[in-house]
Amino acid sequence: MMKSNNKMKAIVATGYGSPEVLKLRQVDKPVPKANEVLVKVLASSATAADGMMRTGKPFIARMFTGLRKPKHPIPGTGFAGIVETTGENVTTFHAGDKVFGETTLGFGTNAEYIAVPENGVILPLPETLRFTEATTVCDGHLTSVNFLMNIALVKPGQKVLINGASGSLGSAAVQLAKYYGAEVTGVCSKRNVGLVKSLGADFVIDYTKEDFTLKNKQYDIVYDTVGKLSYHKSKKALTKNGQFISPVLKFSLLLQMLWTSLYGSKKAKFGATGLRSAIELRQLLTELVEIFKEGKITTIIDRQFPLEKLEEAHKYIATGHKKGNVVIIHQLESQ
């Protein structure tokens, strides 16, 4: 059956639940508004955060994503592709431009096309990045640079421990913390020790053999990228003014944030990177692009799945054995 020009393929979440709720559908192709750019998506992201949004857990997240079902049923936030057309008021981008970016709580990138505001989180694709690489920058790299620079205010010479150092956020955080002059300890499984060392970690702890909270060493920052730790357990491994930071929203972490904001010098902190303004996120992305151009950071891609197999991608991510990033391929790169 020939596809209508006003239709496109997209993955639609039919409700909250397991990866089986993700279905391939024909949906209306977005029509860009006067201030929007229509992007033909060549690659998009699939992340652990997407999995959490798909399940609707923790329930507090539904305040942003929809109470009973996703209000934006097409998942995915990171994208990279080629501008198809632009709205009449757009001046920054033109048809044929290679771009990448992030839709934050607008989701919608696991589809053939996405409409993005010209002043949204969208940048020209640098020559140093492929489409597949660029779409991952808006997940692990963007989140980790926000946590290290804006939330923890990392400084040269500080000791930083990164839990989940081989994942998307963790592999980016190891490289970024080193770039900013910190001493980095990565925590991962035995099979990923070599990877984490290759990213620049000064020390690597195999969590199946050692518990860093039981060692004598203390850290200025403990960055739990995977939400497996607690402030209470990590507190003894923090320096006097140390910080426990995590992008994984838990009710217990919110309580710990409230408590530590009032009492004690050791702090627990959470921040939703996707809730920052488009201006702030574009600035962070611009900084990341410059670091990529310097050759100081790279992106780790574990597996690639075609758009039609997004369900399988979510299942793989849910195993917890992902190294770096998972990319969804829409079409072959034309770079």
Side-chain angles (χ1 to χ4, degrees):
M1 182 183 296
M2 185 174 293
K3 184 177 67 176
S4 170
N5 288 334
N6 62 354
K7 293 289 184 178
M8 67 174 183
K9 290 190 299 183
I11 301 296
V12 175
T14 57
Y16 287 122
S18 67
E20 284 77 9
V21 303
L22 301 173
K23 304 296 182 183
L24 182 66
R25 295 283 190 262
Q26 287 282 326
V27 302
D28 290 336
K29 180 179 175 181
V31 177
K33 299 175 182 177
N35 69 326
E36 289 184 333
V37 175
L38 182 66
V39 178
K40 184 178 184 179
V41 182
L42 298 187
S44 62
S45 61
T47 69
D50 290 342
M52 293 175 65
M53 296 301 180
R54 186 200 68 241
T55 62
K57 298 177 182 178
F59 194 84
I60 191 172
R62 298 194 186 192
M63 294 175 58
F64 306 101
T65 62
L67 288 178
R68 295 187 177 183
K69 62 180 182 180
K71 60 182 178 181
H72 298 292
I74 300 175
T77 57
F79 69 89
I82 299 174
V83 175
E84 179 90 352
T85 186
T86 63
E88 59 185 11
N89 293 337
V90 174
T91 59
T92 308
F93 300 98
H94 304 88
D97 288 350
K98 298 174 181 179
V99 296
F100 77 109
E102 165 82 15
T103 59
T104 63
L105 294 179
F107 300 97
T109 65
N110 295 147
E112 286 188 282
Y113 294 90
I114 184 73
V116 184
E118 178 184 26
N119 62 354
V121 188
I122 179 172
L123 289 177
L125 183 75
E127 293 183 0
T128 51
L129 287 177
R130 297 181 64 83
F131 291 109
T132 48
E133 295 169 329
T135 195
T136 68
V137 175
C138 296
D139 177 37
H141 297 82
L142 186 61
T143 299
S144 287
V145 76
N146 177 47
F147 268 79
L148 291 172
M149 292 301 295
N150 293 333
I151 296 176
L153 303 176
V154 65
K155 297 176 179 61
Q158 286 190 318
K159 293 179 172 60
V160 178
L161 180 136
I162 298 164
N163 188 48
S166 60
S168 176
L169 277 66
S171 60
V174 169
Q175 298 175 83
L176 287 166
K178 283 298 295 181
Y179 178 80
Y180 293 124
E183 178 191 284
V184 178
T185 298
V187 178
C188 62
S189 64
K190 179 180 179 180
R191 69 191 185 101
N192 293 323
V193 167
L195 170 64
V196 175
K197 284 184 177 179
S198 73
L199 294 174
D202 298 287
F203 307 97
V204 182
I205 296 174
D206 174 3
Y207 69 82
T208 65
K209 294 182 178 180
E210 296 181 79
D211 184 343
F212 77 90
T213 65
L214 301 179
K215 299 169 72 74
N216 293 326
K217 188 170 182 178
Q218 291 187 314
Y219 303 90
D220 300 291
I221 299 168
V222 170
Y223 180 20
D224 180 19
T225 68
V226 289
K228 299 295 186 181
L229 303 175
S230 68
Y231 166 78
H232 178 72
K233 184 177 181 180
S234 303
K235 184 178 179 181
K236 64 184 69 175
L238 292 174
T239 57
K240 180 180 178 181
N241 295 303
Q243 303 174 78
F244 174 85
I245 61 176
S246 177
V248 181
L249 180 61
K250 293 180 179 180
F251 185 67
S252 59
L253 180 57
L254 294 178
L255 291 179
Q256 291 158 357
M257 284 176 59
L258 178 61
W259 176 262
T260 61
S261 68
L262 299 173
Y263 306 102
S265 59
K266 301 181 180 183
K267 305 297 183 184
K269 295 183 179 181
F270 164 82
T273 302
L275 294 182
R276 299 189 77 91
S277 71
I279 293 176
E280 293 173 309
L281 293 178
R282 279 201 312 274
Q283 180 59 42
L284 288 174
L285 273 184
T286 300
E287 292 177 13
L288 284 170
V289 166
E290 292 305 312
I291 302 173
F292 268 99
K293 288 180 178 179
E294 293 177 29
K296 299 298 185 181
I297 54 174
T298 187
T299 184
I300 305 300
I301 296 177
D302 184 352
R303 295 189 183 183
Q304 301 181 24
F305 293 82
L307 178 63
E308 294 80 1
K309 300 292 185 180
L310 184 66
E311 176 186 331
E312 292 184 19
H314 274 236
K315 288 180 178 178
Y316 175 62
I317 293 169
T319 65
H321 299 310
K322 176 175 66 70
K323 292 184 290 186
N325 300 272
V326 167
V327 175
I328 305 304
I329 303 298
H330 299 228
Q331 301 178 50
L332 293 177
E333 292 195 12
S334 57
Q335 262 180 319

